[in-house]
C-alpha cells in the first residue's frame, strides 16, 4: 500500500448546502459556469434560504451563516414528529430514496420481454450478497408464481426407482445453506467486439450472489439409486412453458449442486424459480434450472435447445464449443464505473467484485493507469468458493484522466485475461464466457465511461 | 510406501470433504418421496436425445407442416422462418455443400448477417424436442407428435435439407440427421465442460511497467450516450458516485461537491399499505393500471406500444383507424384466433389462452385511449 493513498483530507467542509439551489440552477451552473447574473442569483438564494430558516429559528442571517449547516442547526421533521408504527410495511421495502436502483432491461437487446434479461444494478450494491429483489432475471418463456402445493419433482432414467417428491418431502430432508454466485454465460457478451453498453449494470449485471438453502443433489441421487457406472449425466428440466432443459455432468452433479427452495433466508422469489430451482455452483446460470420439475439420469448429453442452438460458443474457424459451462475467473470495478460522475478530485474508495467458477479468489489487483502498473486490493471476508468476493482499493484522484481496471486470480492460479488475449483464441463472435478485464476511463470532467484498451 | 498410502488417504478425505455431504445412509429417509407411476413418467419424460431415445412414433409431411406453420409459427418467425422481427431467424445461411460436409461455411463469413438456427443446430433431435416441449410460444405443449414431425419437415424443407414433398417420421429421422448442415460443427474438446478442464488462455499477473503504451481501442459512440435512458436516474442522488446526466453532453469541467443533476431523481413507488381507500376518481386510474398490467402479462406489449409502431401497430394507430366504429367483436375475435397481417408483414398470432372477457376488456382499452 502506498501511504500517499491515505493522504486524503478528512473533515472537508461542504461548501454550500445543496438544497439551497434548485436543481435547474445547480445544473445550469455546472454546465455554463459562474457569471455575474448567476452569482447574484446564488447570493440571493443563499440568503433567501437563510432568511426562511431564521424566521423559524429566530436568528439573524449573519448569525446563521456563521454557525453552520442547517441540516444540523434546524430541527428536522424526523426529529420533531412521531414516526410510523411497526409493521406499517409488513414486508419491508427499500427507502424511497433508493428507487433509482432497479433491475433494468438493456434497450434493444431483445424484442420480447418474456424471453429477455433484467440486469442487476451492480453500481449501487455493497458487499457480496445480492438483495433478493435485485437478483438478475433471465426467462426463456416468461415466469410464473407456481403453487408449491401443486409442484412436484420427478427423478427418472438410469435409477433403481423412478420417484416423485413434493415440497413437503424435499423440505423434510437434511438441508444445507451455501453462498454462491449465479452468472449468465452471456454476461458481458455484448462487449466481445467493442464497447456496446454504458454502465456496469449492462456490462456485468447478469451476475448475482445469494445464500441458497436446499438439499444436495447427491442426496437425491443416492435416494433414487442412481446408476453411477452408466449414468454419466443428469438432465435438469424446468416447469415453465419452455420446459427448459440442461445437461449436467455427473462429476458436477455429485459435487456441490443444490436443489434449492430458499434464497437469502426466505423462499425463492417467483422470478428466481419459486418454489424449487437447481443451483449449479460455478456453472453458467442457464444450468441452474428454475421451477425445477424433473431430473433424469442418462448415459449421454441431451443436446437440448439451450446447448445445441444457444449457449454454444462460436470460434473463428466456424466450430462451436458445445457444453461450455464453467464461468472462469473474473472481476469488475463497480464504483466508480461507467456512467458515473465524480464531483471533485481527492480520495475515492475503488470497490468491486471478483469470482471464479473454479474455486476461491486468491488475489485481486487494481490498476489506475490502464494496466501499466498494478497494486494489490484489499479483499473483504468471507472469501468463499464460487461466490462473489468484495474488494476495495484506496485511490487519490489528481484530476487527470485515468483508466481503472481490476484483475482477479483464483486459487487454481488462473489470472483474469485482457480482452485481446481472449480474442486471439476465440475471436469476437462467441457471445458467451467473456471474462476479460474491464476498463473504466475517468475523464477530467469527472465522467466515467466504458472503454477498451489495446 | 507408508507415506504414499498416507497421502492417498488424505487426498480421499479431501475429496469427500469437498462435496456437500458424505455418502448418506438413505434408508433413514424411508417414506419421503414415492415411486412414480409409469403414466406419470410418460407424461413428463418427453425429452428426445441426439440418439433419438425418447422420440415418439409418428410422421408428418412438409405440406402439413406449412399449414401449421402459417397458422401458429409465422407470426413470430416469418412465413419462411426468415423473420428477424421477434426472434433470430430460423432458416437461411446453409448450402448444399454444407449438407455434404456437415460444416456450415457461412459461420466464418463476416457477410452473414445473422446466425440462424439451421446454421447452428447439429442435431435434428433438438428441433423436435424443443418444438414439441415449448412451441408455439404462447401455447406450449399444444402440438401433437405428428404436428411436430410436420413442422420439423417444413423447417428442413425451407432449408432445402429435405425435398418439399418430404414425409418425416421416426423411421427416417436418423437418415435426415446425416444431412444436417452443421452436424460436424460442434466440439466438446475445451476446458469449460468441467471444473478440472484446462483454460484456453494463460495470462500473467505482471505488476509494473506491463504495457509500453495504453491505447484506447473502443469507446461508446456519442450517439449512444442516452441509448440506455438517463443514467442519472439509474444511480443514487447522493454519495460519491452519481449517475451522469446522459440526456446532455458531458460536463465541461468537474462539477464540484454541490452538483445536482437536473433530473426527476427518485421515482417513488406507490405505497403499498398506507393508501387511503380508492376514491371514484382514483378507481379509473387503478383500473387503467390493471389493464396495463394485463396487456403486459399477456405479452400484447411485446408487439404493441402506446404510440410507437413496433412489430404491430401502436394502440393509438389502432384507435385512430377504428374510431367511431363498432369493431369490438371483430377485433376480439382477431386477438383470439389470429389475423392475417392487416397492418404489415407480421400477422397477429392467435391467443387461445387469454379468456374472452379479458380480450374484450383489452381491446376496449386499446380503442379508447390506453
Amino acid at each position: 500500500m502506498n501511504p500517499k493513498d491515505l493522504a486524503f483530507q478528512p473533515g472537508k467542509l461542504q461548501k454550500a448546502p445543496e438544497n439551497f439551489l434548485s436543481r435547474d440552477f445547480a445544473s445550469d451552473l455546472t454546465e455554463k459556469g459562474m457569471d455575474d447574473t448567476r452569482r447574484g442569483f446564488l447570493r440571493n438564494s443563499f440568503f433567501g434560504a437563510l432568511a426562511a430558516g431564521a424566521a423559524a429559528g429566530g436568528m439573524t442571517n449573519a448569525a446563521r451563516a456563521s454557525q453552520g449547516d442547517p441540516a444540523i442547526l434546524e430541527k428536522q421533521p424526523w426529529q420533531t414528529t412521531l414516526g410510523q408504527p411497526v409493521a406499517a410495511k409488513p414486508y419491508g421495502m427499500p427507502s424511497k430514496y433508493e428507487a433509482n436502483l432497479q433491475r433494468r432491461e438493456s434497450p434493444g437487446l431483445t424484442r420480447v420481454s418474456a424471453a429477455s434479461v433484467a440486469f442487476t444494478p451492480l453500481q449501487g450494491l455493497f458487499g457480496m450478497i445480492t438483495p433478493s429483489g435485485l437478483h438478475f432475471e433471465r426467462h426463456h418463456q416468461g415466469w410464473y408464481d407456481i403453487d408449491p402445493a401443486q409442484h412436484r419433482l420427478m427423478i427418472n432414467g438410469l435409477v433403481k426407482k423412478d420417484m416423485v417428491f413434493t415440497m413437503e418431502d424435499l423440505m423434510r430432508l437434511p438441508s444445507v445453506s451455501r453462498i454462491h454466485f449465479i452468472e449468465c454465460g452471456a454476461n458481458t457478451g455484448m462487449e466481445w467486439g467493442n464497447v456496446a453498453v454504458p454502465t456496469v449494470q449492462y456490462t456485468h449485471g447478469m451476475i448475482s450472489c445469494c445464500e441458497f438453502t436446499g438439499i444436495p443433489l447427491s442426496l437425491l441421487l443416492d435416494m433414487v439409486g442412481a446408476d453411477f457406472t452408466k449414468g454419466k449425466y443428469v438432465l435438469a428440466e424446468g416447469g415453465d412453458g419452455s420446459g427448459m432443459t440442461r445437461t449436467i455432468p455427473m462429476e458436477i452433479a455429485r459435487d456441490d449442486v443444490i436443489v434449492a427452495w430458499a434464497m437469502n433466508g426466505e423462499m425463492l422469489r417467483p422470478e428466481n424459480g419459486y418454489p424449487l430451482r437447481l443451483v449449479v455452483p460455478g456453472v453458467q446460470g442457464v444450468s441452474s434450472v428454475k421451477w425445477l420439475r424433473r431430473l433424469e439420469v442418462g448415459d449421454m448429453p441431451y443436446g437440448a435447445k439451450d446447448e445445441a442452438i444457444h449457449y454454444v460458443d462460436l470460434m473463428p474457424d466456424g466450430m462451436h464449443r458445445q457444453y461450455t459451462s464453467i464461468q472462469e475467473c473474473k472481476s469488475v470495478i463497480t464504483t466508480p464505473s461507467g456512467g458515473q460522475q465524480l464531483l471533485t478530485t481527492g480520495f475515492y474508495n475503488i470497490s468491486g467484485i471478483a469470482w471464479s467458477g473454479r474455486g476461491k479468489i486468491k488475489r485481486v489487483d487494481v490498476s489506475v493507469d490502464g494496466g501499466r502498473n498494478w497494486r494489490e486490493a484489499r479483499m473483504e471476508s468471507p472469501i468463499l468458493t464460487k461466490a462473489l468476493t468484495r474488494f476495495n482499493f484506496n485511490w487519490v484522484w489528481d484530476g487527470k484522466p485515468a483508466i481503472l481496471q481490476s484483475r482477479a486470480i483464483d486459487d487454481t492460479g488462473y489470472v483474469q485475461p485482457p480482452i485481446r488475449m481472449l480474442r486471439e483464441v476465440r475471436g469476437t463472435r462467441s457471445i458467451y464466457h467473456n471474462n476479460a478485464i474491464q476498463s473504466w476511463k475517468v475523464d477530467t470532467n469527472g465522467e466515467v465511461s466504458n472503454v477498451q484498451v489495446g | 510406501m507408508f507415506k504414499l498410502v498416507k497421502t492417498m488417504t488424505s487426498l480421499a478425505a479431501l475429496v469427500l470433504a469437498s462435496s456437500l455431504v458424505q455418502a448418506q445412509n438413505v434408508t433413514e429417509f424411508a417414506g419421503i418421496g414415492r415411486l412414480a407411476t409409469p403414466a406419470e413418467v410418460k407424461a413428463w419424460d418427453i425429452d428426445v436425445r441426439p440418439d433419438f431415445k425418447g422420440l415418439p412414433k409418428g410422421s408428418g409431411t412438409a405440406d402439413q407442416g406449412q399449414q401449421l406453420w402459417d397458422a401458429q409459427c409465422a407470426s413470430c418467425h416469418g412465413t419462411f422462418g426468415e423473420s428477424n422481427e421477434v426472434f433470430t431467424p430460423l432458416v437461411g445461411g446453409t448450402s448444399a455443400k454444407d449438407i455434404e460436409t456437415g460444416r456450415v461455411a457461412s459461420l466464418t463469413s463476416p457477410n452473414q448477417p445473422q446466425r440462424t438456427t439451421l446454421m447452428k443446430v447439429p442435431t435434428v433431435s433438438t428441433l423436435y424436442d424443443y418444438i414439441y416441449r415449448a412451441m408455439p410460444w404462447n401455447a406450449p405443449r399444444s402440438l401433437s407428435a405428428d404436428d411436430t414431425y410436420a413442422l420439423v419437415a417444413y423447417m428442413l424443407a425451407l432449408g432445402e435439407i429435405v425435398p418439399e414433398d418430404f414425409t418425416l417420421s421416426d423411421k427416417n429421422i436418423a437418415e435426415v440427421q446425416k444431412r444436417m448442415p452443421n452436424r460436424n460443427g460442434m466440439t466438446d474438446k475445451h476446458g469449460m465442460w468441467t471444473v478440472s478442464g484446462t483454460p484456453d488462455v494463460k495470462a500473467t499477473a505482471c505488476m509494473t511497467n506491463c504495457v509500453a503504451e495504453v491505447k484506447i481501442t473502443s469507446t461508446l459512440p456519442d450517439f449512444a450516450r442516452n441509448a440506455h435512458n438517463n443514467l442519472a436516474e439509474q444511480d443514487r442522488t447522493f454519495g460519491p458516485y452519481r449517475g451522469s446526466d446522459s440526456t446532455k453532453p458531458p460536463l465541461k469541467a468537474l462539477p464540484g461537491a454541490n452538483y445536482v443533476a437536473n433530473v426527476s431523481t427518485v421515482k417513488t413507488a406507490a405505497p403499498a399499505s398506507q393508501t387511503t381507500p380508492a376514491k371514484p376518481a382514483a378507481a379509473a386510474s387503478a383500473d387503467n393500471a390493471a389493464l396495463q398490467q394485463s396487456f403486459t402479462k399477456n405479452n400484447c406489449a411485446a408487439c404493441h406500444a402506446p404510440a410507437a409502431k413496433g412489430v404491430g401497430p401502436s394502440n393509438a394507430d389502432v384507435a385512430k383507424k377504428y374510431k367511431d366504429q363498432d369493431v369490438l367483436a371483430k377485433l376480439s375475435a382477431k386477438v383470439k384466433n389470429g389475423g392475417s397481417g392487416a397492418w404489415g408483414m407480421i400477422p397477429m398470432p392467435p391467443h387461445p389462452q387469454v379468456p374472452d372477457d379479458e380480450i374484450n376488456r383489452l381491446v376496449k382499452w386499446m380503442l379508447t385511449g390506453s
Side-chain angles (χ1 to χ4, degrees), chain B residues 104-253:
Chain B
V104 171
S106 65
L107 282 170
T108 56
S109 162
N111 300 326
Q112 177 64 33
Q114 293 266 1
R115 275 170 266 167
T116 69
T117 292
L118 287 185
M119 283 167 64
K120 292 188 284 184
V121 66
T123 37
V124 67
S125 62
T126 307
L127 299 179
Y128 189 99
D129 176 86
Y130 197 68
I131 293 171
Y132 187 58
R133 77 169 51 245
M135 289 292 113
W137 160 259
N138 53 1
R141 298 299 303 272
S142 62
L143 296 167
S144 71
D146 287 348
D147 290 345
T148 309
Y149 279 108
L151 285 167
V152 175
Y154 180 63
M155 261 184 84
L156 296 173
L158 287 174
E160 298 176 5
I161 297 163
V162 299
E164 280 174 28
D165 60 356
F166 193 72
T167 304
L168 181 68
S169 73
D170 56 296
K171 304 283 188 306
N172 64 10
I173 197 166
E175 290 305 307
V176 172
Q177 173 58 38
K178 294 176 190 162
R179 293 178 57 77
M180 292 300 282
N182 202 36
R183 64 186 176 279
N184 299 323
M186 295 277 168
T187 177
D188 62 5
K189 302 282 178 284
H190 53 74
M192 297 167 85
W193 200 183
T194 57
V195 178
S196 53
T198 307
D200 57 358
V201 295
K202 196 166 172 12
T204 51
C206 166
M207 297 304 279
T208 47
N209 295 320
C210 304
V211 272
E213 188 195 1
V214 176
K215 262 195 304 204
I216 291 179
T217 54
S218 178
T219 58
L220 203 63
D222 288 343
F223 66 80
R225 181 169 172 80
N226 199 39
H228 281 68
N229 304 317
N230 192 351
L231 304 179
E233 295 180 357
Q234 302 177 32
D235 225 320
R236 292 201 172 83
T237 50
F238 64 95
Y241 308 111
R242 317 290 173 83
S244 313
D245 185 348
S246 55
T247 63
K248 296 188 177 137
L251 301 175
K252 297 223 161 50

Side-chain angles (χ1 to χ4, degrees), chain B residues 255-301:
Chain B
N258 300 328
Y259 176 71
V260 181
N262 184 25
V263 291
S264 55
T265 46
V266 174
K267 291 182 192 111
T268 314
S273 58
Q274 293 187 307
T275 44
T276 44
K279 294 172 192 134
S285 98
D287 206 36
N288 196 49
L291 280 159
Q292 176 67 53
Q293 218 167 24
S294 169
F295 198 71
T296 306
K297 176 176 163 265
N298 289 306
N299 282 314
C300 315

Side-chain angles (χ1 to χ4, degrees), chain A residues 199-252:
Chain A
T199 73
V200 72
Q201 178 158 19
Y202 305 109
T203 58
H204 289 76
M206 286 196 278
I207 187 161
S208 298
C209 183
C210 294
E211 183 197 54
F212 293 98
T213 296
I215 45 174
L217 175 57
S218 61
L219 172 61
L220 287 176
L221 292 172
D222 287 343
M223 283 176 74
V224 298
D227 177 348
F228 296 123
T229 314
K230 285 200 210 117
K232 296 296 179 200
Y233 301 94
V234 175
L235 180 78
E237 181 178 87
D240 59 327
S242 76
M244 221 211 52
T245 44
R246 281 283 298 183
T247 305
I248 296 151
M250 192 59 86
E251 175 189 331
I252 292 177

